[in-house]
């Protein structure tokens, strides 16, 4: 440093003092970019113009969205005033819903007599909550969202059990019958849509009337069936009045039908408990009660058999098969209808899908004229949501539907609900008809024809084309987006696909697609289709056989304090387990593991608990 100073002093040079960089930053790469505006006023004016243009664009977009919303609202109002004005006839015939969409239990026939039978809420509520899993009653007909973490279970009480206390019978009537009634009513209305009014009127015109068997509903299916018959009888009377001009005279068969009361036919309910039989007999008039299902050798035949909540409680596959075969044999060979119904949960769907596979293998596909599936399946091939038999862990996609109903006052008090009095009954079902021929177009060609749509197809007597049994069905609520509607449908080819109906495809199809609902058939086609990946889970591993000669041998090294240092199975897999007790013959805690190699066995290494709801 001294040398440097001396050199500068000698040469007369001086070091320039440190100074700030010039304001223009001419050659620095870190300098800010030069502004393209000469003055601040010019920059502010440009920003104001850009902001005004952006606000104008936003205003135009909002106005366009408001116009679309007003147009859709106007369409909704027009449909509410007259639902038959603008909707395509095929769409009307393909709908699967009750009218009104919210079902209410018949007061004089069901809810009021039930309320007179039930004890006070303070006496019934503790018993019902203990039986059905606590608040929300998740192990009854309800499926509350707050109980999704609980294990999946079928009904805690069934109408077929032989013993039932008085409070248990009251809990069954209060917690299970309302949802069973709503679910069965939905299925019966769907059957009337698919089979037409001719089906019901032929049953009513018979001398003995229609014959129904309720297995597992405790009388709820009989109540729903009689309400459906009463509605059809009322329509028939209105038609007769229109034909005769309200004079009430005439010699035709219509006048004879109008003069006589509605034929209720014969109704039979299978109830195992005398306590529940005594209560159900006070709700249902002109009804027979049986303690068990008639045998296969019985001469009795029924036009409609409804079996709600009967398959899931049966764990053995051969017993389920025996029950379904017995119910099928009790049907009238000339058009009898079997309805199987379970809760809308994965395990309930698997019970219905297993019964469907059994019916197809043993009856429907064995003989062409043995029968056919009426609803909800548009195909007689393997169910795309049930490709592997048996329960599957982690199943997310499964076929189920929903029906909203008004909870009666006693169920409201039992649940402690005060804000809303409606609930959604989730259920999976299968309806098959004996003696009906199989549809011929349930294949890839039928699916392609349905994709092209039947908007311009000629109308038939049922307001649906001849391919009505092969129309795809919405298995999820349609996704209504701006300018298009996406529908997840089960096609006649036995596949789950996503069909998209944009506004550009067809104005009529787009308008009807926006009105489509979960469970409806679809007859107007779509513009694009893609295969939808389904989440059906994985097959549960069977428990290991614990029979003689098939036990697995393990070598366990026990350290100090009775703690397992290692557990080695033949094959090299190593796990760690806590050992209770001391010595070489200590047993593993909770898994039944015997130390010492010879004779050691494991009951269940995996977690075989129930899937959550």
């Amino acid at each position: 440093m001294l040398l440097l100073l001396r050199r500068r002093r000698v040469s007369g040079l001086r070091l320039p003092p440190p100074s700030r960089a010039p304001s223009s930053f001419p050659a620095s790469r870190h300098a800010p970019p030069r502004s393209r505006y000469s003055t601040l006023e010019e920059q502010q004016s440009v920003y104001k113009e850009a902001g005004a243009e952006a606000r104008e664009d936003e205003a135009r977009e909002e106005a366009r969205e408001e116009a679309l919303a007003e147009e859709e609202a106007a369409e909704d109002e027009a449909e509410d005033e007259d639902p038959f004005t603008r909707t395509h006839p095929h769409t009307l015939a393909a709908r699967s819903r009750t009218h009104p969409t919210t079902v209410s239990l018949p007061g004089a026939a069901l809810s009021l007599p039930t309320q007179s039978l039930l004890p006070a809420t303070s006496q019934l509520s503790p018993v019902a909550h203990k039986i059905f899993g606590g608040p929300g009653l998740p192990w009854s007909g309800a499926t509350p969202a707050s109980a999704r973490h609980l294990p999946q279970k079928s009904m805690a009480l069934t109408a077929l059990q032989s013993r039932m206390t008085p409070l248990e019978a009251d809990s069954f009537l209060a917690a299970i019958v309302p949802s069973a009634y709503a679910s069965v009513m939905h299925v019966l209305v769907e059957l009337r849509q698919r089979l037409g009014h001719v089906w019901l009127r032929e049953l009513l015109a018979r001398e003995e009337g229609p014959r129904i068997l309720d297995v597992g509903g405790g009388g709820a299916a009989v109540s729903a069936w009689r309400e459906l018959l009463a509605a059809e009888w009322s329509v028939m009377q209105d038609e007769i009045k229109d034909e005769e001009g309200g004079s009430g005279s005439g010699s035709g068969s219509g006048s004879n039908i109008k003069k006589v009361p509605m034929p209720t036919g014969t109704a039979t309910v299978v109830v195992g408990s005398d306590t529940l039989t005594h209560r159900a007999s006070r709700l249902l008039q002109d009804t027979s009660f049986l303690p068990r299902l008639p045998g296969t050798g019985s001469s009795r035949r029924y036009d409609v058999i409804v079996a709600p909540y009967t398959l899931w409680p049966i764990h053995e596959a051969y017993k389920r098969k025996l029950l379904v075969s017995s119910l099928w044999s009790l049907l009238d060979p000339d058009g009898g209808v079997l309805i199987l119904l379970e809760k809308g949960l994965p395990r309930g769907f698997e019970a219905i899908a297993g019964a469907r596979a059994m019916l197809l293998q043993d009856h429907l596909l064995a003989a062409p004229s043995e029968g056919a599936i009426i609803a909800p399946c548009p195909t007689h091939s393997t169910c795309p949501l049930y490709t592997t038999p048996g329960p599957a862990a982690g199943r997310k996609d499964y076929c189920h539907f929903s029906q909203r109903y008004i909870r009666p006052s006693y169920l409201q008090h039992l649940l402690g609900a005060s804000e809303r009095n409606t609930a959604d009954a989730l259920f999976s079902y299968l309806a098959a008809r004996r003696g009906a021929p199989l549809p011929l177009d349930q294949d890839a060609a039928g699916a392609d024809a349905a994709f092209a749509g039947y908007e311009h197809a000629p109308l038939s007597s049922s307001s649906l084309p001849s391919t009505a049994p092969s129309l795809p069905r919405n298995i999820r609520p349609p996704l209504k987006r701006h300018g298009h509607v996406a529908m997840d449908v089960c096609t006649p080819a036995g596949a789950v696909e996503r069909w998209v109906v944009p506004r550009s495809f067809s104005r009529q199809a787009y308008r009807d697609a926006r009105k489509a609902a979960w469970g409806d058939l679809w007859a107007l086609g779509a513009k694009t289709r893609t295969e939808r990946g389904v989440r059906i889970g994985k097959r549960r591993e069977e428990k290991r056989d614990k029979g003689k000669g098939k036990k697995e041998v393990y070598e366990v090294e026990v350290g100090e304090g009775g703690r397992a240092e290692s557990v080695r199975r033949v094959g090299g897999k190593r796990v760690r387990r806590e050992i209770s007790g001391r010595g070489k013959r200590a047993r593993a805690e909770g898994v039944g593991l015997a130390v010492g190699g010879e004779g050691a066995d494991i009951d269940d290494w995996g977690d075989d608990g129930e899937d959550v709801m």
Side-chain angles (χ1 to χ4, degrees), residues 183-184 187 307-310 339-343 352 427-429:
S183 303
V184 173
V187 178
Y309 316 132
T310 56
I339 299 174
L340 303 175
L341 187 143
E342 288 292 341
K343 288 181 64 175
I352 295 295
F427 58 93
S428 298
Y429 76 98

Side-chain angles (χ1 to χ4, degrees), residues 294-338:
T296 55
S298 175
S299 60
R300 300 181 182 181
R301 293 295 180 267
Y302 300 93
D303 301 307
V304 178
I305 297 179
V306 186
Y309 316 132
T310 56
L311 294 175
W312 189 358
I314 303 176
H315 300 289
E316 295 82 359
Y318 75 94
K319 290 184 178 180
R320 289 184 179 180
K321 182 176 181 179
L322 180 61
L323 175 61
V324 175
S325 298
S326 300
L327 295 175
W328 186 258
S329 65
L330 293 174
L331 284 175
D332 185 358
D334 188 15
V337 177
L338 172 63

Side-chain angles (χ1 to χ4, degrees), residues 101-253:
T101 55
T102 302
V103 172
S104 59
L105 274 66
L110 186 58
S111 62
L112 292 179
T114 302
Q115 188 171 3
S116 63
L117 291 175
L118 298 179
T121 305
S122 59
Q123 183 180 0
L124 182 61
S125 180
V127 178
H129 281 72
K130 182 179 180 180
I131 295 174
F132 297 118
L137 309 180
W139 297 335
S140 66
T143 51
S146 60
R148 296 292 183 184
H149 64 284
L150 296 178
Q152 294 183 40
K153 289 188 178 181
S154 59
M155 299 294 179
L157 293 176
T158 63
L160 302 181
Q161 64 188 61
S162 58
R163 295 182 180 180
M164 193 177 292
T165 65
L167 287 178
E168 289 176 345
D170 295 334
S171 301
F172 181 92
L173 295 178
I176 294 180
V177 169
S179 61
Y181 174 89
S183 303
V184 173
M185 177 60 75
H186 180 103
V187 178
L188 291 176
V189 171
E190 173 66 11
L191 280 179
R192 199 268 182 191
Q193 282 283 92
R194 304 286 75 84
L195 299 178
H197 64 274
V198 179
W199 169 58
L200 283 180
R201 297 188 180 188
E202 289 179 353
L203 295 179
L204 289 171
R206 293 191 318 191
E207 182 178 358
E208 66 276 12
R211 300 161 296 179
I212 182 174
L213 176 65
D214 182 352
V215 183
V222 173
S223 298
W225 172 251
R226 289 177 175 175
E227 288 296 317
L228 183 69
L229 292 181
E232 188 67 30
W233 187 260
S234 177
V235 173
M236 294 172 61
Q237 287 185 326
D238 293 341
E239 292 178 355
I240 293 173
K241 289 180 180 179
D242 294 340
E243 292 177 358
E244 300 181 355
S247 60
S249 61
S251 58
S253 60

Side-chain angles (χ1 to χ4, degrees), residues 94-97 401 472-475 515-522:
R95 284 180 175 173
S96 174
R97 65 189 77 170
F401 305 93
R473 185 180 295 274
N474 283 283
I475 60 174
K515 310 301 176 185
W518 181 10
D520 290 351
L521 297 175
W522 181 246

Side-chain angles (χ1 to χ4, degrees), residues 222-293:
V222 173
S223 298
W225 172 251
R226 289 177 175 175
E227 288 296 317
L228 183 69
L229 292 181
E232 188 67 30
W233 187 260
S234 177
V235 173
M236 294 172 61
Q237 287 185 326
D238 293 341
E239 292 178 355
I240 293 173
K241 289 180 180 179
D242 294 340
E243 292 177 358
E244 300 181 355
S247 60
S249 61
S251 58
S253 60
S255 300
N256 296 331
I257 293 177
K258 187 179 65 172
K259 292 178 182 179
V260 299
M262 182 189 74
T264 58
T266 58
T268 306
V269 181
V270 178
V271 180
S273 170
D274 293 338
T275 307
L276 185 59
T277 301
H278 175 71
R279 284 160 171 74
S281 62
R282 299 177 60 180
L283 304 176
L284 301 173
Q285 305 298 326
D286 301 328
T287 303
S288 302
F289 291 87
L290 298 176
R292 63 185 62 86
L293 190 68

